[in-house]
Amino acid sequence: MNTSRNPSRMRTKIPRIYLRYSIWISAAIIVVLIVLLALTIYSVRERAIIDLFSTQQTLIAQRTASRTEESLRRCERGMLSLSRSLADGRAMAEHGPASIQNLADELQDIVQVIVVIDQDGLVTDAYPIEDAQMYRGLMLDNSAFKHAVRGLRERYSGEIRLVASAGKRTALPVRQTIGTGFPLFTAAGDYSGAVVALLRTQPIIGRSGEYDQNLLHELWLVDAKGHVVAPDVGALKASIIGGKPFMDKMPPVVFFSDPANHREIMLERDQRALKSIIAYAPIRIGANPWWIVLVTPYEKLLVPIRSASFNIVFGAIGLIAVVVITAVSLARADVKRLKMKEELKRLQEREEWQGKLLREKMTVAGIIEGSPVPMFVINQEHKVILWNRACTDLTGYSSEEMIGTNNYYRPFYETPRPFLADFIIDRHTESFAEFYGENKVTKSETISGAYEAVKHFKNLRGKDRHLHFLAAPIFDEKGEIVAAIETFLDVTREVETTKILQEYAETLQNEVDENIHLRKEKEELSNYLESIIESLPDKIYDLNKNGIINYVSRHLARSRQGRSDPAGKHFTEYVAPEHRDYVVSKWEQAQQGIFEPYELDVVARDGTKRHLLLTSNPVKGTDRFVLVQRDITEFKELEKKYYESQKLAAIGQLSAGIAHEVRNPLSSIKMSLQILEKRMQPTGNDLKRFKIAQREVEHLEKLVSDVLIFAKPTTPQKELIDMRSLIEHGLSMVEKAINDKQIHVHRHFEHEHEMIAVDPAMLSQALINLFLNAIDAMEPGGTLGVSAHGQADRLTIEIEDNGCGIDEEDLPHLYNPFFTRKNYGTGLGLTQVKRIVDQHGGEIDVFSKKGEGTRFVITLPRGSEASSGQAGEETHKSSERG
């Protein structure tokens, strides 16, 4: 019986032993994890508090630097006012001491003493009066001060050092400080000394009550050489954590160059190396940089951290005790094992949730403290009310420089210009294109009322950047816009990636185009018959009984231009809306068996007006129709010219009859005026009226002559002549008009002789008309250019002036009969020129711009058979004379 029970008991004890061991091992693991968690929380909390404290100290240093510079400016303004009141030696002698004493009393909170030095730099007097004996006899030892005040005769602000002169004993501690001064001059203008104000360094940098109450840090004023001016602790010797050299071997400008404006260092104090945190801010004193430095011992900062960490340790110890007690309880009472296990699971889940809540809280706190997205907010007055830390990091401008101002354009542009937020505040979103370009600003798809754009900056803090701007309105409870927020992200990498993708897409497109080209080459043989139809000048549509296009000729050309294939569409889709009803009615007639051609006036894609003739016919044996479209624009133009020529011929005959009837009375009137002038010999206004009447008669004679020439054109009687002599003849005919206006004539002939077969009289008349038009268009003193050049078979004549020019809308009508913009004239001059050039088989072109001048270019054929033609013309003329 006993033997049979022992194995059973052993089997029962073994699982219990294993269970106990597993419980103790689990408890030990939990204890270790709790200890590690406590240490991790302590380390993270310590680092977070140190970073936060460093940032706060940096802000304090920056505010102290600002106030220090303000005190220095205040002293400089007082000294400037004093220098103006003591501008000469007489003013200094009369009321100089009283003025200096008043200024010393006024600035006693920041000025230690105001001293007067002679031309050798020796202190002769000091204010307040009670300190005069202490400073008299001291020597100002500063070469920069002497150079500025005595050499350049200018005001000086910066480092000041007073030392004891030879034979002078003083208990005054000689040390470097800050001062400002101005030179003094005698009545003759010679340098006689200077007035110098020495500042109280410690009261200046420690004027704020909040700094005095801060017992954790010391406030130092460090000069450009690394010496601590206030308080007087000697040269600042420190080593940066990480093994970098001492500061006395490193220039202060390098030591204080960290963009974060704070760092951890080892300071040598009382022959001990103490780990400390320093925060600093630069100030400008004179020409050299100084620094405001806040020094905080590491140990003083960690005292409150460690005090708070004891709670974490006590909590961890308590948790460990609970775990141990739980493990012992589980080991002694297996009955409660499942219950305690569930309890432990719930505890672990609660800790996990607590950890999640803690992480979420830290995340929200991080967002509130400073978002990583650069952003700023402006109010309705376009003043900055928020400028976050990320914005400062991107632009280099701090929130102190921006908040309360409208200078948010400075990091990006040299001159003021509105941002997206400004347009939203002013509700002028339609004006985006003026500053950002067309279609550069888009409405946000995710944020209501927001707009976004991408802008390229070639040099933003030394980098080429693409920034994505997003601006959105901020509404109050009434739905009114009270402010606007704008964010900007650096999307340079995304833009570059987009360019790479575009290049890749272009490469793929080129490959696709090449494949399409190869496919077209394979289809050339099957398209042979279709290409024959494509070659026809008419356009042919193959339509079914419902007007749907089965095929249209020249669709290959349309496809090369990127147009879609018209097959499967109704043909009226390609008809202009104003002609659609008319075409549909004709199509219905064709379906009824009435096939009549009809015409349409359409406007082509290039803007030209075209005349189309459309004819429809059925395709035999099918229910299809063929619609033929023919361009008859040229036929219409010829028809129009024919009717115009008939009309002009009728006008010419009528004009010739009227001109013939008017010529004889005009001759009688002219002759009568000449006789009356000789007999009456009028003077004054009577003579003036006679001259006016004679000019008007001559003008009417010219009008009648032009009308007769236009109405009765003759055939050119060509003969071989030198074009140069013909041009000179034309210029001599208008010599009086040239001299009256003092026109300068410039001639340019490519060859000495330019022989050509023309009618001299007709071409001379054409040249005279062009010369007169040019002279009329120019002001007195203008320039008329005449040139002739050409090839073996053609000769080109150019006539150019620098007159008033011709309006662009008048150019198409220049050669129309009776068209003129002058207050006088027939409007037939250029018509005659065009007809003469056309009769000689030449061409005439005009180039003109309003206010710049006009250039006429005439191109005439030389005539290869001019010699034989000239002999024939001479024989013909002789026979007529016989």
Side-chain angles (χ1 to χ4, degrees):
M1 291 290 291
N2 293 336
T3 304
S4 61
R5 289 177 182 175
N6 288 336
S8 175
R9 291 178 179 177
M10 291 296 295
R11 286 193 297 270
T12 304
K13 290 180 179 181
I14 289 174
R16 291 180 179 178
I17 293 173
Y18 288 156
L19 179 61
R20 291 173 183 174
Y21 284 156
S22 62
I23 291 173
W24 285 107
I25 292 173
S26 300
I29 292 174
I30 293 173
V31 169
V32 172
L33 291 177
I34 292 173
V35 173
L36 292 177
L37 178 62
L39 293 176
T40 301
I41 293 174
Y42 173 77
S43 177
V44 172
R45 183 179 180 83
E46 177 181 345
R47 174 47 54 188
I49 293 177
I50 289 174
D51 291 341
L52 178 61
F53 180 80
S54 300
T55 303
Q56 293 174 346
Q57 294 296 88
T58 300
L59 294 176
I60 294 174
Q62 290 174 350
R63 294 174 183 172
T64 305
S66 176
R67 294 176 181 178
T68 302
E69 290 181 343
E70 180 183 353
S71 299
L72 184 58
R73 299 292 88 77
R74 177 186 168 197
C75 182
E76 287 178 345
R77 289 193 296 270
M79 293 296 287
L80 177 61
S81 176
L82 181 61
S83 67
R84 291 173 178 170
S85 65
L86 305 179
D88 53 44
R90 182 179 300 175
M92 180 62 187
E94 291 178 357
H95 52 269
S99 300
I100 297 175
Q101 180 64 45
N102 291 336
L103 181 61
D105 294 339
E106 180 184 349
L107 302 178
Q108 61 181 350
D109 57 334
I110 60 173
V111 173
Q112 180 177 354
V113 67
I114 301 178
V115 299
V116 180
I117 64 173
D118 60 12
Q119 59 184 359
D120 297 324
L122 190 65
V123 177
T124 61
D125 210 345
Y127 302 89
I129 300 299
E130 56 268 20
D131 295 336
Q133 188 62 32
M134 185 186 303
Y135 284 92
R136 284 196 184 102
L138 294 181
M139 179 70 69
L140 191 144
D141 181 19
N142 191 301
S143 58
F145 177 87
K146 294 178 180 179
H147 175 71
V149 174
R150 183 170 185 172
L152 301 179
R153 298 193 173 193
E154 297 178 350
R155 291 185 297 106
Y156 172 82
S157 295
E159 304 170 8
I160 297 293
R161 180 178 176 83
L162 290 176
V163 298
S165 61
K168 169 70 175 177
R169 293 185 178 180
T170 178
L172 182 69
V174 179
R175 47 183 278 189
Q176 190 173 5
T177 184
I178 307 171
T180 177
F182 61 88
L184 297 174
F185 303 98
T186 63
D190 298 328
Y191 173 75
S192 63
V195 178
V196 184
L198 306 181
L199 275 67
R200 301 176 185 269
T201 55
Q202 186 61 30
I204 290 176
I205 64 175
R207 292 172 62 194
S208 174
E210 64 174 296
Y211 305 154
D212 296 339
Q213 295 172 4
N214 191 342
L215 301 178
L216 292 179
H217 66 251
E218 296 179 4
L219 193 59
W220 293 355
L221 176 63
V222 181
D223 65 8
K225 297 179 180 179
H227 292 279
V228 179
V229 178
D232 189 4
V233 296
L236 176 61
K237 294 184 178 181
S239 62
I240 306 171
I241 294 178
K244 293 187 178 179
F246 285 97
M247 182 180 165
D248 57 354
K249 298 180 182 179
M250 180 189 299
V253 175
V254 179
F255 184 82
F256 293 116
S257 62
D258 193 339
N261 286 355
H262 60 80
R263 65 199 319 168
E264 298 177 16
I265 64 171
M266 297 296 294
L267 284 179
E268 186 177 342
R269 280 294 190 84
D270 300 329
Q271 297 182 353
R272 282 195 310 150
L274 297 178
K275 183 178 179 182
S276 303
I277 298 174
I278 66 168
Y280 47 87
I283 60 174
R284 179 64 61 177
I285 300 179
N288 296 320
W290 288 38
W291 292 270
I292 296 295
V293 181
L294 272 72
V295 182
T296 305
Y298 212 84
E299 292 297 327
K300 290 184 178 181
L301 179 60
L302 293 182
V303 169
I305 300 176
R306 290 171 179 171
S307 298
S309 300
F310 281 132
N311 297 330
I312 299 175
V313 174
F314 288 146
I317 293 174
L319 186 59
I320 291 172
V322 170
V323 173
V324 172
I325 293 173
T326 304
V328 173
S329 299
L330 288 174
R332 290 180 177 181
D334 294 340
V335 179
K336 298 180 180 180
R337 178 177 57 83
L338 295 176
K339 182 178 180 180
M340 296 301 296
K341 185 176 180 180
E342 292 295 326
E343 186 68 19
L344 179 61
K345 184 177 180 180
R346 284 194 296 270
L347 288 174
Q348 290 176 346
E349 289 177 352
R350 184 174 64 182
E351 289 178 358
E352 184 178 351
W353 279 107
Q354 289 177 349
K356 289 182 179 180
L357 291 175
L358 179 60
R359 287 193 297 271
E360 291 179 358
K361 181 179 180 181
M362 294 178 66
T363 301
V364 174
I367 294 174
I368 296 174
E369 174 66 20
S371 171
V373 178
M375 67 178 68
F376 68 91
V377 179
I378 61 174
N379 58 16
Q380 291 180 332
E381 289 75 29
H382 300 272
K383 302 290 185 181
V384 177
I385 60 176
L386 174 63
W387 186 274
N388 71 346
R389 187 183 304 169
C391 195
T392 300
D393 295 338
L394 178 65
T395 63
Y397 285 78
S398 65
S399 58
E400 289 80 3
E401 295 174 298
M402 289 297 175
I403 291 178
T405 70
N406 57 357
N407 297 330
Y408 43 88
Y409 69 90
R410 286 186 175 178
F412 309 95
Y413 307 103
E414 295 181 357
T415 57
R417 58 166 290 170
F419 278 54
L420 297 180
D422 294 300
F423 291 105
I424 292 176
I425 288 289
D426 296 335
R427 296 176 177 84
H428 291 163
T429 55
E430 69 278 358
S431 303
F432 284 140
E434 182 179 354
F435 291 91
Y436 290 87
E438 290 291 338
N439 302 323
K440 296 296 184 181
V441 179
T442 59
K443 198 166 185 179
S444 176
E445 298 180 357
T446 57
I447 303 175
S448 176
Y451 293 87
E452 55 187 353
V454 177
K455 190 77 174 177
H456 178 225
F457 297 91
K458 294 185 178 179
N459 186 12
L460 183 60
R461 298 198 72 188
K463 294 183 180 181
D464 189 88
R465 299 175 186 263
H466 294 268
L467 296 184
H468 175 269
F469 290 83
L470 175 65
I474 299 176
F475 301 93
D476 59 9
E477 64 277 6
K478 298 179 180 179
E480 298 292 333
I481 297 178
V482 295
I485 182 172
E486 184 157 352
T487 65
F488 33 91
L489 293 176
D490 190 349
V491 294
T492 306
R493 182 178 298 175
E494 289 79 357
V495 172
E496 292 176 353
T497 303
T498 302
K499 290 182 179 179
I500 294 174
L501 293 176
Q502 289 177 348
E503 293 175 357
Y504 180 68
E506 291 177 359
T507 303
L508 293 178
Q509 184 63 41
N510 293 334
E511 294 178 0
V512 172
D513 293 341
E514 184 178 357
N515 292 334
I516 293 174
H517 179 69
L518 293 174
R519 181 178 179 181
K520 288 181 180 179
E521 289 182 350
K522 293 179 181 179
E523 294 176 353
E524 285 182 356
L525 183 61
S526 62
N527 295 334
Y528 175 71
L529 293 176
E530 184 177 351
S531 63
I532 295 177
I533 299 176
E534 296 288 336
S535 303
L536 296 176
D538 298 337
K539 197 170 187 177
I540 301 175
Y541 292 85
D542 177 19
L543 310 176
N544 65 9
K545 61 181 180 179
N546 298 320
I548 303 301
I549 299 175
N550 296 321
Y551 169 80
V552 60
S553 64
R554 290 190 284 181
H555 75 276
L556 291 178
R558 292 168 58 88
S559 64
R560 294 189 186 100
Q561 297 174 2
R563 306 180 196 174
S564 59
D565 189 352
K569 299 179 181 179
H570 200 278
F571 78 98
T572 55
E573 293 184 19
Y574 296 92
V575 179
E578 62 269 19
H579 302 310
R580 192 164 294 165
D581 293 339
Y582 177 71
V583 172
V584 169
S585 64
K586 290 295 183 180
W587 169 249
E588 292 175 351
Q589 292 180 4
Q591 289 179 320
Q592 297 172 3
I594 303 174
F595 304 101
E596 293 181 354
Y598 56 94
E599 298 180 6
L600 291 179
D601 293 335
V602 299
V603 178
R605 290 181 178 273
D606 58 359
T608 59
K609 186 176 181 182
R610 314 300 296 176
H611 300 277
L612 303 178
L613 176 65
L614 288 88
T615 306
S616 57
N617 283 296
V619 179
K620 295 182 179 180
T622 66
D623 58 352
R624 295 185 177 183
F625 294 86
V626 173
L627 181 64
V628 180
Q629 174 185 304
R630 175 171 296 177
D631 190 340
I632 59 172
T633 305
E634 294 181 0
F635 297 102
K636 287 291 184 180
E637 292 294 334
L638 292 175
E639 184 180 22
K640 181 179 179 181
K641 289 181 179 180
Y642 172 75
Y643 288 133
E644 287 181 354
S645 64
Q646 294 293 323
K647 180 173 64 176
L648 290 176
I651 293 174
Q653 291 176 1
L654 177 62
S655 300
I658 295 173
H660 182 73
E661 294 297 330
V662 172
R663 172 181 286 182
N664 293 333
L666 284 176
S667 299
S668 299
I669 293 171
K670 182 177 182 181
M671 185 179 297
S672 298
L673 287 172
Q674 292 173 351
I675 293 172
L676 286 173
E677 182 181 3
K678 290 180 179 180
R679 289 181 178 179
M680 298 177 65
Q681 296 182 355
T683 59
N685 290 332
D686 293 338
L687 179 60
K688 184 178 180 181
R689 294 187 181 95
F690 265 98
K691 295 300 182 182
I692 292 173
Q694 289 177 358
R695 283 198 302 271
E696 293 300 324
V697 170
E698 290 174 355
H699 175 65
L700 289 175
E701 285 184 338
K702 179 67 169 56
L703 175 62
V704 170
S705 178
D706 289 344
V707 170
L708 289 175
I709 293 174
F710 173 74
K712 296 182 179 180
T714 59
T715 303
Q717 304 298 318
K718 296 184 179 180
E719 60 181 69
L720 193 62
I721 191 171
D722 184 7
M723 179 55 69
R724 183 170 180 176
S725 63
L726 197 60
I727 292 173
E728 293 294 343
H729 171 71
L731 290 173
S732 65
M733 295 299 293
V734 296
E735 184 176 2
K736 183 178 183 303
I738 291 174
N739 294 334
D740 290 344
K741 277 195 172 184
Q742 298 180 353
I743 302 299
H744 302 284
V745 181
H746 290 174
R747 302 171 176 85
H748 176 72
F749 302 103
E750 191 175 16
H751 302 95
E752 183 176 357
H753 298 287
E754 295 287 357
M755 305 306 295
I756 187 171
V758 295
D759 186 321
M762 295 178 68
L763 200 58
S764 177
Q765 182 63 38
L767 293 175
I768 291 172
N769 286 344
L770 292 177
F771 291 155
L772 290 175
N773 284 346
I775 294 170
D776 290 342
M778 289 186 289
E779 297 293 332
T783 301
L784 175 64
V786 184
S787 64
H789 57 85
Q791 294 82 28
D793 58 339
R794 303 187 73 79
L795 178 65
T796 300
I797 305 165
E798 295 187 13
I799 300 172
E800 184 175 3
D801 64 75
N802 60 348
C804 60
I806 304 172
D807 289 333
E808 185 176 356
E809 58 268 18
D810 291 342
L811 289 176
H813 311 293
L814 284 182
Y815 306 115
N816 293 347
F818 308 109
F819 176 79
T820 181
R821 293 295 185 189
K822 300 178 182 179
N823 295 328
Y824 59 90
T826 63
L828 295 173
L830 288 178
T831 305
Q832 293 177 9
V833 173
K834 181 69 167 63
R835 176 174 292 179
I836 291 171
V837 172
D838 290 343
Q839 288 176 340
H840 283 78
E843 297 176 354
I844 181 170
D845 296 304
V846 59
F847 305 92
S848 181
K849 192 171 183 180
K850 188 66 176 178
E852 295 184 4
T854 305
R855 179 166 61 96
F856 281 91
V857 179
I858 300 175
T859 305
L860 299 172
R862 289 183 182 271
S864 59
E865 300 178 355
S867 298
S868 59
Q870 180 183 7
E873 291 293 333
E874 290 295 331
T875 304
H876 178 69
K877 290 180 181 179
S878 299
S879 61
E880 286 183 347
R881 286 194 295 269

